[in-house]
Amino acid sequence: MASSGPEEGAAEGDPASGETSRSWPAGPSSGAGRSRRPLLSSPGEEEAEADPLPAQSPSHLRAMSGRDKVALYCDRLLGGRKAEDANEAMSKYLLEKLKMKEKWLGVWKTNPELFFINSEDVLIPFVGILVEVTCKPSQSTSSHLKASVSVAEPFSSNIANIPRELVDNVLDELDHCVPLLEIYPVEGKDMVVSDIAQALDVVRFFYDFLWRDWDEDESCETYAALIEERIKLWCDIENGTIPAPIGQRFRKNLEKYKNMHLELIQYQSNIKEEPTAEEAVECWKKYYELVMLCGLLKIWEDLRLRAHGPLTPRILRRRRGHRDDGKAVTHIVAKTMTAEMVKDFSVDTLLQQHDNLNMALDSCYSGDSVVIFPGEYKAANLSMLTEDIIIQGAGKPEEIVIVSEPTHESFVVSKAHNVKLMHLTLVQQGTVDGIVVVESGHMTFVNCILKCEGTGVSVLTGASLTITNSEITGAQGAGVELHPGSTAILEGNKIHHCNNFKTSESSQGALGGINIKVVPVPKLKMKNNHIYSNNGYGVTILQPTDQLSTTGGILEFTASGDAEEDMLSKLMHELSVEMSSNTLDDIKGLSIVNS
């Protein structure tokens, strides 16, 4: 895989920011490795402290719009080239800039493992050293270009007590040649050096975010089209169109793929002779894990699925259906069961008592009911709802609180034909997916409070949702998101303070209360809902660009009865969107957005 090397780990923290740590934490030494040292010099040693690192040339790439990035990478750098020619195109671009100046100052940022034992015990993302750089023409690909470096004066580092002797020894072992993409030019008045800095930034971004090692195996008409999709994905993560938890999952999976790929290469290279049976098995195991993760990342890059994130299989449990005798059981969930709790049940009701909500759900067959008495509960089985059951609180919603497991990706996920939740409060903590995901079948909420931390309620293709007299708040995306071909009825609800994550200044911030994706068309019926205080529109309709006969990115409609409102009415009719007696208090109530 083409890689920009150890600086990828540092890229997550702003590599051009000049962020420094002026001391290296103490830590135990467990062994020796080449010139590496323990994490801190012995107390009796006195060495001159390194100066702070100078400021590096600022990056202008992050401020560049998505359209400008597409023009730069797809039109200017790649043009009509195939994936196998991408490395050559990047090298040619970079070498043209490097020819303009042979020597310049830069900050070499590399992995702490190169210098120290037990570097994983510390949080510093890189070791930075001020170096003088000498660039010479090379036939290598840009991701493997090397630069000749020497320690510049005054000796400067982000680690005040790093020994100068250690740095010299490491550079000697490397023959004073380090990956060019690990070097960040120092800020100054020299415009040529500034151009070199920008070129390095452009190439680093390509290998960090746009390049995939499997690209050469892909059969696509133009490689530039694939890169354009990835730029759009990156921009949507950055500007908040894709909610932050989903974006974090993508970055995490991409980084995991890169690390696993390097582990496989290193494992193979350490096998000197014919592999043993154990080595062959381990090699195949690592390979198949890599293939599975590769498939997951490819789903992300499918524009029809990516807004929800990788749809990894969640519900592996088979549906039980009804009991053979046709009887239904009411499961009582309470820490302690008393006669007062069951006095309202009929004498022929079959009751089972549980002090654990998880066990109650695990015991359910279709037709059963779960009655939860006041308290706070957790239940991983809420992410595997397959039976047609009713889950209801015995009291006010605020008294029966179910909190998600932070270590799980999902909170409430259903593919039951018909499942109903009543008089409950759901509190999402740490899970990545929406607070509720309706994968298939129908799900109903009555008098519930949904306190989101990630995304809101997602209704996937072919599924349906009914929410009445409930409250949805705090979602980092839309409060309710309707995927193509889904159905929803919303009546008497409050949807507020959704999509309130921080976005860039260029973000449209369109998503807010309800988000509708229209191919194929979903169906939505809204009545007596109050949608307010959302960071965006009350209702957003995502319409594919080629189906929208207007030139603007967002169409705003008022109650003036003009031609644009007629167009909106027509679209709502085609989408089977029924809206009556709703209150939309957001700055802009309803919008159509190009997707």
Side-chain angles (χ1 to χ4, degrees):
M1 177 177 71
S3 170
S4 55
E7 92 288 348
E8 286 182 354
E12 288 299 320
D14 190 355
S17 67
E19 175 186 349
T20 60
S21 174
R22 298 302 302 150
S23 63
W24 192 270
S29 138
S30 60
R34 304 178 70 185
S35 295
R36 297 190 300 166
R37 295 278 186 90
L39 297 183
L40 190 65
S41 301
S42 300
E45 298 179 10
E46 289 188 8
E47 299 188 37
E49 284 197 352
D51 287 355
L53 291 172
Q56 293 113 65
S57 291
S59 170
H60 300 296
L61 196 61
R62 185 172 291 273
M64 187 181 292
S65 69
R67 183 173 298 177
D68 289 339
K69 284 188 177 73
V70 169
L72 172 62
Y73 288 99
C74 302
D75 301 334
R76 180 181 167 191
L77 297 181
L78 295 175
R81 290 181 176 85
K82 297 180 180 178
E84 55 264 32
D85 301 322
N87 281 326
E88 181 183 351
M90 292 296 123
S91 296
K92 182 179 178 182
Y93 165 72
L94 190 52
L95 289 172
E96 285 296 322
K97 299 292 184 182
L98 294 172
K99 288 177 184 177
M100 301 170 68
K101 196 175 185 72
E102 184 176 344
K103 292 188 177 183
W104 39 273
L105 290 178
V107 175
W108 173 39
K109 295 185 179 182
T110 191
N111 198 314
E113 290 180 1
L114 196 60
F115 286 85
F116 298 98
I117 299 166
N118 294 341
S119 61
E120 65 274 8
D121 294 338
V122 297
L123 299 177
I124 296 175
F126 63 88
V127 173
I129 306 293
L130 180 64
V131 294
E132 183 178 56
V133 184
T134 302
C135 291
K136 296 179 180 179
S138 169
Q139 298 303 315
S140 303
T141 62
S142 57
S143 62
H144 298 117
L145 283 176
K146 298 281 187 177
S148 177
V149 300
S150 58
V151 177
E153 298 296 341
F155 177 55
S156 306
S157 174
N158 62 326
I159 304 168
N161 57 347
I162 188 170
R164 169 70 178 264
E165 179 187 0
L166 173 60
V167 176
D168 289 335
N169 289 342
V170 169
L171 286 177
D172 286 342
E173 290 170 0
L174 297 173
D175 294 326
H176 286 260
C177 287
V178 302
L180 183 60
L181 295 184
E182 292 184 7
I183 302 173
Y184 297 79
V186 170
E187 184 178 17
K189 296 181 180 180
D190 192 329
M191 294 306 298
V192 174
V193 175
S194 179
D195 287 344
I196 292 174
Q198 294 309 311
L200 287 168
D201 201 29
V202 165
V203 175
R204 264 192 296 265
F205 180 84
F206 178 78
Y207 286 111
D208 284 346
F209 299 105
L210 304 181
W211 169 262
R212 310 284 186 265
D213 71 290
W214 64 74
D215 282 351
E216 295 185 11
D217 300 327
E218 293 292 321
S219 56
C220 56
E221 231 178 283
T222 62
Y223 181 55
L226 185 59
I227 294 299
E228 182 173 356
E229 290 183 0
R230 288 176 185 157
I231 290 173
K232 190 173 189 295
L233 175 62
W234 184 86
C235 290
D236 284 353
I237 291 173
E238 286 297 302
N239 66 25
T241 300
I242 293 178
I246 303 296
Q248 290 167 10
R249 177 196 272 188
F250 171 71
R251 292 177 187 272
K252 180 180 177 181
N253 283 333
L254 183 58
E255 189 64 29
K256 182 179 178 182
Y257 177 87
K258 291 179 180 180
N259 292 335
M260 288 177 61
H261 189 271
L262 289 175
E263 286 176 12
L264 177 60
I265 292 174
Q266 290 168 359
Y267 187 83
Q268 290 173 325
S269 64
N270 289 334
I271 301 175
K272 304 301 181 184
E273 301 176 356
E274 190 69 22
T276 64
E278 292 79 6
E279 289 173 332
V281 169
E282 184 64 20
C283 222
W284 278 107
K285 179 183 175 183
K286 290 180 180 293
Y287 172 74
Y288 279 114
E289 287 176 349
L290 198 66
V291 169
M292 293 294 289
L293 193 53
C294 172
L296 189 62
L297 287 167
K298 286 182 178 180
I299 291 177
W300 268 98
E301 294 172 4
D302 184 333
L303 295 179
R304 292 166 296 178
L305 298 180
R306 65 179 190 164
H308 182 71
L311 300 178
T312 53
R314 297 183 181 88
I315 299 181
L316 302 179
R317 176 183 295 173
R318 294 189 65 185
R319 179 179 167 85
R320 291 175 175 175
H322 294 270
R323 288 182 176 80
D324 292 338
D325 59 9
K327 295 181 178 179
V329 173
T330 297
H331 303 266
I332 305 295
V333 181
K335 303 300 181 183
T336 304
M337 189 171 176
T338 65
E340 185 71 18
M341 291 180 177
V342 298
K343 68 176 184 179
D344 294 330
F345 292 100
S346 62
V347 292
D348 57 346
T349 301
L350 298 176
L351 299 177
Q352 286 187 14
Q353 191 268 330
H354 309 267
D355 60 5
N356 183 298
L357 177 57
N358 220 37
M359 293 178 61
L361 293 172
D362 198 42
S363 304
C364 282
Y365 286 75
S366 287
D368 287 0
S369 298
V370 178
V371 179
I372 309 172
F373 282 82
E376 183 174 305
Y377 303 88
K378 291 186 178 181
N381 282 330
L382 281 173
S383 65
M384 297 181 288
L385 296 176
T386 57
E387 307 304 322
D388 300 341
I389 60 176
I390 296 173
I391 305 171
Q392 67 181 52
K396 298 178 180 179
E398 296 85 354
E399 299 174 337
I400 300 96
V401 179
I402 304 176
V403 182
S404 65
E405 293 278 1
T407 57
H408 292 191
E409 289 191 343
S410 305
F411 187 8
V412 180
V413 184
S414 173
K415 67 173 185 180
H417 296 321
N418 197 349
V419 65
K420 190 173 188 177
L421 278 72
M422 305 169 62
H423 317 306
L424 301 170
T425 294
L426 302 181
V427 180
Q428 184 183 23
Q429 292 182 354
T431 53
V432 175
D433 286 340
I435 189 169
V436 174
V437 179
V438 190
E439 288 194 354
S440 61
H442 180 247
M443 194 168 199
T444 301
F445 288 89
V446 178
N447 192 27
C448 290
I449 301 172
L450 278 60
K451 297 182 178 181
C452 313
E453 185 178 89
T455 51
V457 180
S458 295
V459 189
L460 304 189
T461 301
S464 60
L465 171 74
T466 299
I467 305 181
T468 58
N469 301 321
S470 297
E471 181 178 359
I472 301 174
T473 183
Q476 292 193 30
V480 178
E481 184 170 50
L482 302 183
H483 283 246
S486 60
T487 302
I489 298 174
L490 309 177
E491 185 170 349
N493 304 295
K494 295 179 180 179
I495 303 175
H496 60 96
H497 293 93
C498 294
N499 195 38
N500 284 329
F501 53 85
K502 182 179 180 181
T503 61
S504 66
E505 292 181 0
S506 60
S507 171
Q508 293 174 336
L511 305 185
I514 299 170
N515 181 28
I516 306 172
K517 302 176 182 182
V518 302
V519 179
V521 295
K523 296 180 181 179
L524 171 64
K525 182 177 180 180
M526 296 175 57
K527 184 178 180 181
N528 296 331
N529 297 285
H530 188 190
I531 303 174
Y532 63 97
S533 298
N534 297 292
N535 182 22
Y537 297 91
V539 179
T540 305
I541 300 172
L542 295 183
Q543 171 99 330
T545 305
D546 56 4
Q547 296 191 16
L548 197 59
S549 58
T550 61
T551 56
I554 298 180
L555 299 184
E556 301 170 8
F557 297 89
T558 64
S560 59
D562 54 18
E564 290 175 335
E565 183 173 306
D566 292 339
M567 178 184 172
L568 177 60
S569 299
K570 180 181 178 181
L571 178 59
M572 290 174 63
H573 177 72
E574 292 172 352
L575 294 176
S576 298
V577 176
E578 299 179 28
M579 299 179 63
S580 60
S581 304
N582 296 285
T583 304
L584 278 66
D585 288 343
D586 292 314
I587 296 174
K588 298 181 178 69
L590 183 61
S591 74
I592 302 176
V593 181
N594 293 35
S595 64

